[in-house]
Amino acid sequence: MSRAMQCQSCLPWGSWTQLHRSLLGSRGTRSVYLCAASVPGAAGSYFLRKILRASSISLSRGCVRYEGGSQEHSVKPSSSRHGLSQLRNVASSDAIKKHQKSLSAWFSHQPNEERQFGPSFSLDAVHVDPVIRESSLEEILKPSPDLTIQNQLQQPCSQVISLQNLFDVDACGRQVKNVVLYGTVGTGKSTLIKKMVVDWCHGRLPRFELVIPFSCEDLSHSRAPISLRRLITKKYQHLRDVVPMLGISNLKVLFILNGLERLNLDFRLAGTELCCDPNEPVPPSAIVVNLLRKYLLPEVSVSLQLLHAGERLGASIIVTTRPSAVRRIPGKYVGRYAEICGFSDTNLQKLYFQMRLSQPGCSGEGSTGRSSGEQENLVEMLSRNLERHNQIAAACFLPSYCWLVCTTLHFLYFTRTVPPSQTLTGIYTSFLRLNFSGEVLDSTDSTNISMMKYVAKTVGKLAYEGVMSRKTCFTEDDLQQCFEVEMKTESELNLLEVFRSDVFRFFLTPCVQLGKEHTFVFTIPAMQEYLAALYVVLGEKKSLAQRVGKELSELIGKVSEDVAVVLSIVSKVLPLRFLPVLFNLLKIFPRYFSRLSGKDRDAIAHTMAEELFKEEDYYNDDVLDQINSSILGMEGPMRHPDEVPDDEVFELFPIFMGGILSRRNRAILQQLGCSIKNLAAFEIANAMKKTVIRNSRKGLPPSELMDYLFFLHEFQNERFTAEAIRSLRTVNLSSVKMTPLKCSVLAYVMGTTCHEVEELNLTSCNLDTSSLRILFPVLLRCKALHLQLNSLGSDACKEIRDLLLHDKCVVSNLRLANNPVGEQGAQYLAEALAGNHSLTHLSLLHTALGDRGAEVIAQHLAKNQHLQELNLGYNSLTDTAALHVVEVAKKHTTLDKVHLYFNDISEDGKRELDSLRMDRDGVRALVFLTAGTDVSDYWSNILNVVQRNLPFWDRERVRQHLVLILQDLESSRRQTANPWRKAKFLRVESEVKKMLGKLQHENL
């Protein structure tokens, strides 16, 4: 089965169509390599840079602790001789052991994005090695436009190489000393380097006796000359005794240079002088150049008795870089080029998801067997969707997106804390930080623009225009309009070329849908809405006049400050009256522009509110269900290729806008070079407040109301949320599948205030006992609580008992119809009735009470002093239980209505109940539609209850009851001579016959 995947090469400048051809590909069969590891793309890079700066240790990007991985083929050294004694002494020295221990200890730390999943997520248990393909400089400089994944996998097997064999001899038999490992953003360069380092720390890389990793980002920040030996000891103090032996011993050393794109290297002799002395201070870039030249620490020839045939000792070097920077190293200094090709087979993706989602701690603390089953179900559903949904398989070609999929599923299925530990916007923002933190698009460009800022301005514009025009597929013309039209300088052209080569594939991928093969889509659909939201919130959506006005305002503002000083001095010497006027004129334009900026923020708030309450989206699934479906797919028959697709839905767009404005996400985006000021966020929130609150009062459909609550959760502004929630007196979420996450969101949002809720409707919401626990504080404040059709059993009734016995409970109307309460559940509810002081209406319609359950309820009714209405209909009650309930109710001080219809009550029992009803000191027992020779006053109520519950009740039993009711109506009509009563009977009979006809038609 074909799969749309690709191995990004360094793309030449050309048309977007050629880029499309170079990206589009198919999957093949691949061997599986297990290794240690972790977080996506540059996931480890941000974290490592952080800890290394704090500890004065400089390691390569992505180096994080690892204690497992694939079994490597051990490289057994030849038999020992006297010359090996020195090598062994060095390799086993305390200094190197301390160095290994230090590296391993630092690498054991996990970034916050991983720590949230619990301690069981050891990094070696959740990673699959991506495919590595041996390449050449010719392929990099002149890639074939038809070089697809399928073509690559059909090439000789010798082109696929494992990490352990990167330093094997090349095709000509020459020993490889310098390796360039390149790949686009998110393909796993940093993870592979981490694997190599930690393998060595744990003795699984015997080829090298010493590994010294360096971060090129750290090296780029250092301008002062420094010697190689001082550079090593400064970063790795444990190696003070080993460094003097470098270059003069037979020690096999591996230097790792991670992120070469951050260094500007000049291999010309005029640019970087030759240096062979490791003690001579030179710029860090000169050290790198001379190491790669093999002029610094050159190869050492030793006796062939000590080595494998043809092997030469000396420093080996592995360099990681993005495709655009590969050509910075002349080809004559590179022994092997290797390209990381990602997960080019869905089997690799499935293995990753299996390992990631099946971890014991995936479902959080207190996970049960049920949670384990849920994990297995998630893996199965995701596996099926990968097989039938090519687009998500194309996205998961990048290991980074596999991480994002797992993190999103963890958020959707295993969030049970109040408030939720994170937000969906936070997941996407953290995902971008893991891949782009500290990254500049091109270190050789004078603008030094951050990669994320460039993406927000260009890809964000494309995403926004797609959201506004309701489309997800983009043509070559669309790409040209967003990326090429406004380019005016050589610098802009160069930045675009680097973006196409290194970053384009991370966000956009060829569409695999039939008939749309020549278009692009966003790798993950939600990423389009996130980038569109970021584009708007950053204020990039400006007209030409606004952009020119901003630049002119800043210029005049700076000039006015200098002129103000001059005028203040001149005015003391020359008391001219026009000077203050001139000074104020200089300030007019900046002030006027600041007012325009305020209007721009009003426009952002208006866009957010307008998109949040679009009426055409009112009856879609809520956004959390939409995300779930986009990952796991929709169960059922697939859509026919010729069928017209539904309109695209972009309901996450305004939610992401609110989430980006939260303080935490703004702080992370600041690290990525995308600054959103506190004042701007404050003004947008104020401008949006009135519009949002006014629209929320209109009475939103359940799914749209859930989206609104989720928006308030993502916004993370408790003051704003409290004002918005106070206006919600009725909350109707009926038929919304209330997952633990949605329950947590509801509890958090409603918990920002303490006001009483008139009605909370959670009918048919898939609630269970854990859901009730999460919602407990909210349920206490609800006067009318609808919990019908939720499969709430006895355990849930225990929670409801605790709720009703709580001293702060205000529940007056509780509906538990169509739940399997049973006898044990009735016991808990009876205990609640005895001690509750707020409940006035209780519905236990169709709750499988039976006679014993009804008896338990009746025994505790005497202790209750507030209940006014009790519904025990459709509970298989016989004459004895029904009469007992009514006898007890007759003595109750406030209870005046008991529903007993659709029970197994005989004609004699009916007459006895009717006589009790006729007693003016008794209660009204609603048993049948007739009352003697007249129609019951509550016949419409009974039929309405039946009508509403027809989809959920046993059809055959309902049909039998309706037949008996119809016979009873006809018998009573014949017994009366009153024409008005006959007319009423005929009217009720016609309603019953309609129901019978509907049942019969549906059965057919």
Side-chain angles (χ1 to χ4, degrees), residues 265-337:
L265 303 182
D266 189 350
F267 280 81
R268 299 172 303 164
L269 291 178
T272 303
E273 62 181 4
L274 297 176
C275 176
C276 62
D277 186 0
N279 295 311
E280 180 181 350
V282 294
S285 60
I287 292 178
V288 173
V289 169
N290 281 289
L291 281 173
L292 291 169
R293 285 170 173 168
K294 294 302 177 190
Y295 200 74
L296 189 60
L297 300 184
E299 296 180 344
V300 181
S301 300
V302 296
S303 172
L304 290 180
Q305 295 178 341
L306 306 181
L307 300 172
H308 296 292
E311 184 177 349
R312 295 172 63 84
L313 287 177
S316 298
I317 302 174
I318 184 169
V319 174
T320 68
T321 185
R322 301 199 302 259
S324 62
V326 171
R327 65 193 73 184
R328 295 184 188 179
I329 304 178
K332 63 182 179 180
Y333 298 125
V334 180
R336 174 171 285 124
Y337 292 94

Side-chain angles (χ1 to χ4, degrees), residues 42 45 56 203 213 325 419 438 482 600 810 829 838 842 861:
S45 71
S56 78
C482 284
D600 183 52
V810 299
L829 295 177
S838 63
L842 176 61
L861 270 180

Side-chain angles (χ1 to χ4, degrees), residues 489-774:
T489 65
E490 180 72 15
S491 174
E492 291 175 338
L493 190 64
N494 292 336
L495 288 176
L496 179 59
E497 184 176 0
V498 173
F499 169 79
R500 287 160 50 95
S501 172
D502 298 348
V503 193
F504 179 85
R505 175 62 180 87
F506 187 84
F507 293 103
L508 291 160
T509 186
C511 182
V512 299
Q513 185 177 344
L514 293 177
K516 297 183 178 180
E517 293 85 354
H518 300 290
T519 61
F520 292 88
V521 296
F522 276 83
T523 311
I524 291 288
M527 186 60 74
Q528 177 181 353
E529 298 176 76
Y530 181 93
L531 292 178
L534 182 61
Y535 177 76
V536 173
V537 173
L538 286 176
E540 295 295 336
K541 190 177 80 69
K542 291 186 177 74
S543 63
L544 180 61
Q546 287 176 315
R547 293 178 181 176
V548 173
K550 181 180 179 181
E551 295 174 1
L552 187 59
S553 173
E554 292 175 352
L555 177 62
I556 295 179
K558 293 178 181 178
V559 172
S560 65
E561 293 176 0
D562 298 332
V563 173
V565 177
V566 176
L567 290 179
S568 64
I569 298 174
V570 174
S571 62
K572 294 178 181 179
V573 181
L574 300 174
L576 301 177
R577 297 180 178 178
F578 72 89
L579 290 179
V581 176
L582 178 61
F583 176 67
N584 290 329
L585 285 174
L586 289 171
K587 292 184 177 181
I588 288 178
F589 190 84
R591 291 176 180 174
Y592 176 73
F593 184 78
S594 66
R595 295 181 181 179
L596 291 179
S597 299
K599 292 184 178 181
D600 183 52
R601 289 160 188 164
D602 289 343
I604 294 175
H606 176 74
T607 300
M608 194 183 308
E610 183 181 15
E611 291 293 325
L612 186 62
F613 297 104
K614 272 186 173 294
E615 292 189 4
E616 57 262 38
D617 296 333
Y618 269 17
Y619 298 98
N620 298 324
D621 292 338
D622 62 79
V623 292
L624 293 175
D625 283 350
Q626 292 176 27
I627 295 172
N628 183 69
S629 298
S630 69
I631 296 175
L632 299 180
M634 297 290 295
E635 295 298 321
M638 297 289 290
R639 184 193 301 275
H640 191 275
D642 297 333
E643 184 179 348
V644 179
D646 299 331
D647 292 336
E648 299 293 348
V649 177
F650 296 96
E651 294 183 81
L652 270 174
F653 170 54
I655 293 174
F656 276 143
M657 288 180 69
I660 288 172
L661 289 172
S662 70
R663 184 181 298 275
R664 179 180 180 276
N665 286 316
R666 284 189 286 117
I668 296 176
L669 288 169
Q670 178 75 33
Q671 301 173 17
L672 297 176
C674 301
S675 176
I676 304 171
K677 302 298 183 183
N678 290 335
L679 181 60
F682 176 76
E683 291 177 348
I684 292 172
N686 281 343
M688 182 178 58
K689 188 178 299 179
K690 292 182 179 179
T691 305
V692 168
I693 294 176
R694 183 175 64 251
N695 281 279
S696 66
R697 290 172 177 168
K698 293 180 179 180
L700 301 173
S703 62
E704 195 69 14
L705 178 58
M706 188 67 242
D707 290 347
Y708 176 56
L709 297 174
F710 188 61
F711 165 80
L712 295 176
H713 159 67
E714 293 286 311
F715 198 30
Q716 294 288 293
N717 186 326
E718 289 195 8
R719 180 181 298 179
F720 182 95
T721 300
E723 292 186 36
I725 288 300
R726 286 192 191 100
S727 62
L728 287 179
R729 294 291 176 177
T730 300
V731 179
N732 180 13
L733 294 173
S734 61
S735 301
V736 173
K737 185 179 180 181
M738 295 298 292
T739 61
L741 171 61
K742 295 177 189 176
C743 292
S744 298
V745 168
L746 176 59
Y748 163 71
V749 171
M750 299 298 293
T752 57
T753 69
C754 297
H755 76 285
E756 292 183 358
V757 181
E758 294 295 330
E759 180 180 350
L760 176 59
N761 190 344
L762 295 175
T763 301
S764 189
C765 288
N766 289 58
L767 298 179
D768 56 16
T769 306
S770 62
S771 303
L772 296 180
R773 292 195 190 105
I774 295 172

Side-chain angles (χ1 to χ4, degrees), residues 252-472:
K252 290 182 284 187
V253 183
L254 172 65
F255 285 95
I256 297 177
L257 303 173
N258 194 42
L260 186 74
E261 66 274 359
R262 301 303 301 269
L263 284 177
N264 296 327
L265 303 182
D266 189 350
F267 280 81
R268 299 172 303 164
L269 291 178
T272 303
E273 62 181 4
L274 297 176
C275 176
C276 62
D277 186 0
N279 295 311
E280 180 181 350
V282 294
S285 60
I287 292 178
V288 173
V289 169
N290 281 289
L291 281 173
L292 291 169
R293 285 170 173 168
K294 294 302 177 190
Y295 200 74
L296 189 60
L297 300 184
E299 296 180 344
V300 181
S301 300
V302 296
S303 172
L304 290 180
Q305 295 178 341
L306 306 181
L307 300 172
H308 296 292
E311 184 177 349
R312 295 172 63 84
L313 287 177
S316 298
I317 302 174
I318 184 169
V319 174
T320 68
T321 185
R322 301 199 302 259
S324 62
V326 171
R327 65 193 73 184
R328 295 184 188 179
I329 304 178
K332 63 182 179 180
Y333 298 125
V334 180
R336 174 171 285 124
Y337 292 94
E339 179 184 13
I340 303 179
C341 301
F343 293 159
S344 56
D345 184 356
T346 54
N347 289 326
L348 297 178
Q349 301 169 16
K350 290 178 184 179
L351 181 59
Y352 179 91
F353 293 133
Q354 175 72 34
M355 299 170 67
R356 185 88 191 187
L357 295 174
S358 298
Q359 291 299 305
C362 181
S363 56
E365 295 182 2
S367 59
T368 62
R370 175 180 169 277
S371 299
S372 177
E374 191 171 25
Q375 291 171 247
E376 294 177 1
N377 187 47
L378 281 179
V379 173
E380 178 62 27
M381 292 179 66
L382 187 54
S383 177
R384 288 202 301 267
N385 198 34
L386 286 171
E387 293 174 355
R388 65 179 182 176
H389 192 336
N390 291 347
Q391 203 63 63
I392 191 173
C396 292
F397 157 77
L398 291 172
S400 291
Y401 277 102
C402 291
W403 182 91
L404 179 61
V405 166
C406 289
T407 306
T408 305
L409 288 176
H410 187 277
F411 174 67
L412 292 176
Y413 282 88
F414 305 120
T415 299
R416 289 179 172 84
T417 58
V418 179
S421 58
Q422 58 184 338
T423 63
L424 184 66
T425 313
I427 288 175
Y428 276 75
T429 306
S430 297
F431 170 69
L432 293 175
R433 180 180 69 168
L434 289 170
N435 286 280
F436 294 100
S437 180
E439 296 283 351
V440 295
L441 185 60
D442 186 3
S443 61
T444 62
D445 187 78
S446 59
T447 61
N448 209 34
I449 186 172
S450 75
M451 188 178 290
M452 196 62 229
K453 180 68 173 179
Y454 186 89
V455 168
K457 295 176 66 173
T458 54
V459 187
K461 179 183 178 183
L462 180 72
Y464 173 76
E465 292 180 354
V467 169
M468 291 296 101
S469 58
R470 289 296 190 262
K471 68 178 183 180
T472 57

Side-chain angles (χ1 to χ4, degrees), residues 192-207:
L192 285 176
I193 289 303
K194 172 199 60 184
K195 176 183 184 297
M196 177 174 281
V197 172
V198 183
D199 272 351
W200 177 77
C201 288
H202 295 283
R204 291 188 291 269
L205 196 62
R207 181 191 293 268

Side-chain angles (χ1 to χ4, degrees), residues 63-168:
C63 293
V64 195
R65 186 176 184 269
Y66 153 116
E67 294 186 356
S70 58
Q71 286 293 333
E72 302 179 11
H73 297 289
S74 300
V75 181
K76 298 182 179 180
S78 58
S79 59
S80 61
R81 300 288 182 183
H82 293 291
L84 277 179
S85 59
Q86 182 182 6
L87 297 178
R88 289 188 172 181
N89 290 336
V90 173
S92 61
S93 68
D94 291 339
I96 292 182
K97 288 181 179 179
K98 289 179 180 179
H99 178 58
Q100 291 175 324
K101 185 177 180 180
S102 176
L103 290 181
S104 180
W106 279 113
F107 296 164
S108 65
H109 293 282
Q110 299 181 25
N112 292 332
E113 287 78 5
E114 285 290 74
R115 230 174 281 160
Q116 64 188 336
F117 301 120
S120 67
F121 273 87
S122 57
L123 300 177
D124 59 322
V126 290
H127 181 80
V128 178
D129 261 346
V131 173
I132 304 176
R133 185 182 65 88
E134 187 168 2
S135 182
S136 65
L137 186 61
E138 289 72 21
E139 288 184 18
I140 299 171
L141 299 179
K142 298 180 181 180
S144 168
D146 298 323
L147 189 61
T148 64
I149 288 289
Q150 185 178 19
N151 291 338
Q152 292 170 8
L153 297 182
Q154 291 175 352
Q155 292 176 4
C157 296
S158 59
Q159 288 199 333
V160 177
I161 188 170
S162 68
L163 184 65
Q164 297 79 27
N165 303 120
L166 288 177
F167 288 93
D168 288 353

